[in-house]
Amino acid sequence: MLVLTAVGSIGGLTLILGTALVLANSRLHVEEDPRIDAVEDMLPATNCGGCGYPGCRPFAEALVTGAVLPGKCTVSPETEQIRIASYLGVDVGAEEKQVARLACAGGANVSRDHAHYEGLESCGGSALVGGGGKGCFWGCLGLGDCEVACDFDAIEMSRHGLPMVDEDRCTACGDCVTACPKDLFSLHPQSHRLWVACRSQEEGDEILNDCHVACTACGRCAMDAPGQIEMRNNLPVIDYSEGTLTAKPAQRCPTGSIVWLDPKEGAVRGQSARKIIRRDALSDAPT
Amino acid sequence: MTLFSRKTFAHGIHPPGLKDDTKGLPIRQFPFAPVLVVPLSQHIGKPAVPVVREGQEVIRGQCIAQPDGFLSVAMHAPASGVVRRIGLTPSITGRMTSGIFIDPFPASTQEVPEGTPCDAATANPEEIVAAIQQAGVVGLGGAGFPTHAKLKMPEGKSVDTLLVNGAECEPYLTTDHRVMLEHSDDVFAGIPYLMRATGATRTIIGVEANKLDAAAVLNAAIPDGAPITVETLPVKYPQGAEKMLIKALLGREVPSGGFPLDVHAICTNVTTTAEIGRLLPRGLGIQERVVTIGGPGIKNKGNYRVPIGTPLRFVLEWAGMEENLTRVFLGGPMMGQAVSSLDIPITKGSSGVIGFTSCESSPLNDSKHYPCIRCGYCVDACPIFLNPSQLGLLAENGEYLRMSEDFHLMDCFECGCCTFVCPSHIQLVQHFRIAKAALRKAKVEAKAKDDAKDEPKPKDEPKAEAKAKMLA
Amino acid sequence: MYRAVVGIGLACGIAIVMVYELTGPIIRQNKIEMREKAITKVLPGATTSAAFRLNQSGGFDPVPSDNEGDDLVFAGYDDNHELVGLAIAARGMGYQDVIRLLYGYSFEKQAILGISVLESRETPGLGDRIETDPDFLRNFGNLDVSLTPDGAELANLIEFVKPGEKNDPWQIDGISGATVTSKATANMLSESSARWIPTVHPKKEVFQYREGVE
Amino acid sequence: MKRLAKILDIRSSPHVASGQSVDVIMFNVVLALLPVTAFAVYTFGLAAILTLATAVASCVGTEYALCRFTGRETSIGDWSSTVTGILYGLTLPPSLALWMVAVGGIIAVSLGKFLFGGLGYNPFNPALVGRTVLQATFPVAMTNWPATPVDRFTSVPSSTLAWPFTEPAYDAVSTATPLASWKFEQEMTDTGDLLLGTVSGSVGETCTLLILLGGLYLVARRMMNWRIPVAILLTVALFSGLLNLSNPKHYADPLFMWLSGGLMLGSVFMATDMVGCPMTHPGCVLYGILIGVLVVVIRVWGGMPEGVMYAILLGNAASPLIDNWIQPRVYGTTGNQS
Amino acid sequence: MCPVLAVTNTAKNALAMGLATAFVLIMSNLVVSSLRRYVPKQVRIVTFILVIATFVTIVDYLIQAISLELHKALGAFISLIVVNCLILGRAEAFASKNGIYRSLLDGLGMGVGFIMALLCLGVVREILGSGSLFGLQLFGEGYQEWIIMLLPPGGFFTLAGWLLLFNWLAKRRERRANSTGKESIS
Amino acid sequence: MNSDPLWAIFLNACLINNFVLAYFLGICPFLGVSGKLATATRMGGAVTFVMVVSSMSAFGINSLLLMIDAPYLKLISFIAVIASTVQLVEMFIKKMSPALFRALGIFLPLITTNCAILGLALFQTNKGYGLLQSFVYALGAGAGFTLALVLMAGLREKLELAKTPDIVKGTVITLVLAGLLSVCFMGFAGLSN
């Protein structure tokens, strides 16, 4: 008897509930593409926004709809991208690895301040107070907003207050580009080796009082690489699409504001420029 | 004139006035510097376009740059001399801007030839607006907003009251005070232009109670039958802010994100009004302005009529500075901007040059910074009724988007009340400036991206916002 | 799909029933033992007990002793099958939650002989001193609940007094520091005794020992 | 271009400040507490001195040790841990074993404040956290009110010097606080005694007049929001007054409610702790009303005779919600924020 | 984790609760993994819950049979083992995808871990709260009990304390690993 | 049958023996969903609703079981009924308000395995509450849960901006807060006297 009640009631209960659930399942089901979840799982979940979407999930949605290709994700390793691509049956659409580069070489060892900034330790903050007090109005303020903004620990401030980018870690998410109040960062393909590390638009040697590695708009580089480098707003502009660039313009630059970024040796400057770089910081007193 | 009007706004603070050093000193003419630098962008809006060449000789008061578009004004030569070059000059914002470098002729009499006058009684509003733009008038209180742009009535808007702002609530500054005392006739000459251009039917001049002599002078000088009243207001900072003055005098609140026009009022600084009254009848342009040079770091304090473009170095050298001068700022100590380079020239917006020595230990400078203890002093001080404490905490955590969306960050006009009262010495205003700058930048980037894309994607804006959030 | 669910449901049902069948007797035994222990505690000298249920007409029917409920009273007998007294349950709101306790009533002494707490969530170390505090438990050595001459109601309701101020045998001394719980205990005893004692006292005969009852 | 001859300092505006400072405020709270403290020492003698000294020492010591341990800059200089220590000491029974006082002090600063990030981030009043946790930990010791001996300046209650972690022995003669004797025995205490503090109770909650004096000092120096104590006291008066009118025998009168227990100390010095209370004035009033209602509810219907500390802590817990609901109406907008 | 916290005020209760939970965990893992082929995906959760509930009922009766005292102390919380996220989680995440043997091992591992966790709580709470361990008096007569440890707040605080300790240890380990592995970027 | 007055049941379930703070029931959602105030409020509402629904169905099931004299099936049938009720509610919400579903996210299924729900059903039958009493008990428990959740969310939102030490952030600080709240709620003890 006991067994019968038990079996009967449990059986009945499960039957009723099962029916209800099955019915509800068919009536109330909400259609959602399961591939979105699958793709999201394969993404790095950093939500860095490097792909141009607000986060990994929206990117996954876009991937599934085919609006974008997996290669757009700047963070995930190639193997993962191939996995996603093969899962969705599309091309990887890989792009050449880009890295963030700083257009300033004026660390505390080669540049001076006009004024002494006090207040919040933030470039954004100091830039709003009379430009931050750096002698060169275009130069890096060195308070490390980019270092904070970088989610991948790819930026570290050097001894002399200049951000150094670890190209292996950099995912080209663009956070540092947004963070820099002086707009010194930009994203470039890794293969672009010749680099103008200055933004000063001043002409002539006067700027050298403030920064020893500033561009004086002498134009020698433009003469070295005609067609590839031209002077615009007192600054050399490199056209990377025109043929192969060599390290020559960098070697001739008298101040070292054009550098050759060697994969092994780092930033290579010309003979005359190399003398400028000092080991320790400049004193505040003007020369 | 009601002597002890209780008209005022809610909240606000009472910083020490510190005006006694200069308020009794009459306005004096400042000498010409060996080189004057007229920046082409002394106002909000597009820089003016130079109409002179390098090496060209100019006469004082001659128009040397023409406005570029509606939100731009003309520039006039501050002295007769020769244009040395047109090049980059540092500005108070910390960016290099283009400026016209003029070497004044040392022997010149520096007389100003009169131009085509504009008569308040006969000119139509459009003519007045154009004349004011040509005269290069911008808000001389410090904001630098082109005055003519305020006067241009958009479709469907109307103004009933013109408010002339004589509050001058910033400590140290006495320019408006002196102008009201010495040039009340100019003020009353300027008012008809503004009323005619806007269609306002009455004018109220608001003067704070620490300038009763000026109020008395103005009151006595009101032309017969003119619909002008002078009101004294209790001394309180930031009474001189447009929104606060409108609240104090009219009891109306300018809607968030809106303009005084939305509550049928228009507000101009008293010195701006006086300048209009001085320039327009003679067809002139601004070539100089009254500046209070003061503060503990300055030896010869006073109110001077300084030519536009005089480099600060010259100003300080001429006025004399104490040995231990360490800080100089343009404007008053509450909202004035610190000067990072003495090559910055005096512009139309510079109402004061205040110098502090190293002895002026501002508590913000030396004392310890404490965490926010949520005392609520800033909430009590904020004239806009924001919650600076919450905003500050959000800012420290980089939650800029929430600051603007949930806590009205963009309504903050950086009056500095919160930072002034903060017992923890938190740089609230600076936090807000950073946040605003980051948000503005994110917005611009989003827009640029939007424009660049062939097919507009709705995802782009959230992306930029997400970026703003990430900035810390 | 149905088959799987129903099948597993059936299997579960059977498993549960089997365990229930297996453990049922042991559990019943445990329960009886536990209650016997409590009854022995509140009725010193009692060794066996029997359960009675209050019926509609105000009488008492013997019921199997594994029954449960608040309307039960338990008669306790000593080794000679003499009726020692009745164990009656009381419940009431304590400091934190409901307190349930059992108290022993002696027909001869017309007094409460002891209490035992069945359930309480009182603060450990404080409220639970109603179980452990010797001074407090001494109240129940001989707590007077005698009836008025006509037997209709208690001559004196049980009263709660401040610690150390007990003067009359029907008063309960509180525990200092645990006033709320001790007061609640006194209150529920007072309430319960006022309800039960007049009912059970005249029916002493019903509760006498009978063969065949555990 | 000519270059600058000297380096200027630049910073963001405003360039002047009011001069108000956190350490100054906290120090003034200490000053305001001095009369109460002095009276406590006068009433309870050596026991009060020891209790207060231990409380302050444990709070300040814990703050110092934690700062050292975590490598933060020490924050003793802001006086806040001293305030916590004094307030905490004032809420303790004078006969409490000193080791318990120290335990509570450590809890107050570490659990009540430091875990949350230190000054400014503690959601609850640290002194009350210490007191309440101690109440739950040692309920017997915390509700023991011995009669004050005549030789109070030369001897201490035997329980005070109990060895750490041992149960203190209590003096035989104990008295009930006014609230307890009212709650459990319906005995009223004389109003004059309540005002002057000649009743039993925690170290610092007995003399109402001196507490008010300290509060007035802070209000005069604008270092305290007077709306909070006023709201609490008015709510308590109104609520208990209504109850009292409905049944004077069963419910105590408002004056008694005001003067007895920790209500004055709590509402003047603890509920007004800037960190834990709402930021806006209407918010503060609401917060005060909430506390007032809770005080009466717990005192009248709750299991314990005193409910001020629970009420204030619950008020603290609710203040983020209050802040969330009551934001100042921004100039030029019509509705609330967010 | 939820329902078991409430009964960890003594080491004995904690151990009993841990054992009961571990038993249910192991048994349900076993059954679920052996049934995994026959249960369709849609009704997986439902059947799992049924299985777990069965074992919990069984444990409930077993404890009643072993010691009514213990059952009283643990109260309704035994029944609440059903909704322990851990059990359903393991059934769903592990047992339904793995073979019987591996599931058994998994159940054992998780169960032992769970018992350890509960013991950690129970031991601390009992020592401080009652001055005893498994009912054994540890200190002399005069020990002052820390009542709060027996009350709900004590449970929260003890758990927080253990987590804090683990976090701290993990952090320290991480810092050590970092300090050696970091290389400077030139 | 239990004779506790309704107001006492409500107060008891809501304040004195708050499910979260005194019984440790529903800790998972309590820790998980108390980060944001808006979510917490909705979650509280959802839990209250589910509580009432499952309390009512548990009452029905219990009466049925008593009728056929099968108390041993109590647990298994409770859990089955509650689980399916919650799943139905979940599907319903997903259909009716995708936004709400998104906000509560993964926590809706969590309600199924929320011990507070099952605990409520078990306690209510243990205490022998009648239909109306059960209803009030469920309401009180839900209100208490919501109250604890909302208070917690407010505190956590505030603390989110605090300089809380790293090793304390997250679960630890939430547990400490829960402990402190639990201490605060001890003030309500004995209220129903």
Side-chain angles (χ1 to χ4, degrees), chain C residues 6-213:
Chain C
V6 175
I8 287 170
L10 292 183
C12 292
I14 292 168
I16 290 174
V17 169
M18 274 166 54
V19 173
Y20 179 70
E21 285 287 283
L22 280 175
T23 55
I26 312 174
I27 294 171
R28 220 165 299 139
Q29 192 57 40
N30 280 347
K31 278 189 178 160
I32 291 168
E33 267 171 30
M34 201 163 157
R35 198 172 53 220
E36 297 265 285
K37 242 198 236 110
I39 290 170
T40 323
K41 194 172 158 200
V42 300
L43 291 172
T47 50
T48 53
S49 67
F52 295 87
R53 170 167 280 146
L54 183 67
N55 60 22
Q56 302 292 326
S57 52
F60 287 90
D61 304 325
V63 289
S65 54
D66 63 331
N67 272 21
E68 283 173 36
D70 279 349
D71 51 351
L72 293 179
V73 293
F74 304 94
Y77 311 102
D78 63 11
D79 290 337
N80 308 323
H81 302 327
E82 287 297 318
L83 179 66
V84 183
L86 286 183
I88 304 167
R91 73 196 300 281
M93 195 64 193
Y95 184 69
Q96 190 77 22
D97 207 342
V98 170
I99 301 175
R100 281 181 59 225
L101 49 79
L102 205 64
Y103 60 95
Y105 170 71
S106 158
F107 288 96
E108 278 86 54
K109 298 183 183 160
Q110 297 209 0
I112 289 176
L113 298 184
I115 61 165
S116 166
V117 178
L118 297 177
E119 191 184 316
S120 115
R121 266 177 46 84
E122 298 308 281
T123 319
L126 198 61
D128 67 355
R129 275 159 64 190
I130 54 168
E131 287 181 80
T132 53
D133 193 279
D135 290 329
F136 184 66
L137 290 177
R138 211 169 297 134
N139 281 314
F140 309 104
N142 200 354
L143 186 67
D144 179 63
V145 281
S146 53
L147 298 171
T148 46
D150 61 353
E153 54 184 1
L154 291 186
N156 299 295
L157 283 179
I158 293 174
E159 258 177 29
F160 175 79
V161 294
K162 280 208 295 184
E165 289 188 2
K166 175 166 172 157
N167 295 321
D168 298 304
W170 56 85
Q171 287 175 336
I172 294 180
D173 238 354
I175 309 174
S176 73
T179 328
V180 177
T181 313
S182 49
K183 192 175 181 181
T185 313
N187 286 344
M188 73 179 82
L189 275 180
S190 173
E191 195 185 304
S192 170
S193 58
R195 190 155 65 89
W196 282 98
I197 308 294
T199 323
V200 296
H201 190 75
K203 306 197 176 67
K204 185 180 173 185
E205 293 314 308
V206 183
F207 301 114
Q208 291 300 350
Y209 186 77
R210 257 169 281 185
E211 278 307 319
V213 183

Side-chain angles (χ1 to χ4, degrees), chain D residues 98-117:
Chain D
L98 292 182
W99 73 267
M100 293 185 182
V101 177
V103 166
I106 293 169
I107 290 174
V109 170
S110 59
L111 200 64
K113 185 167 140 193
F114 200 83
L115 267 188
F116 297 106

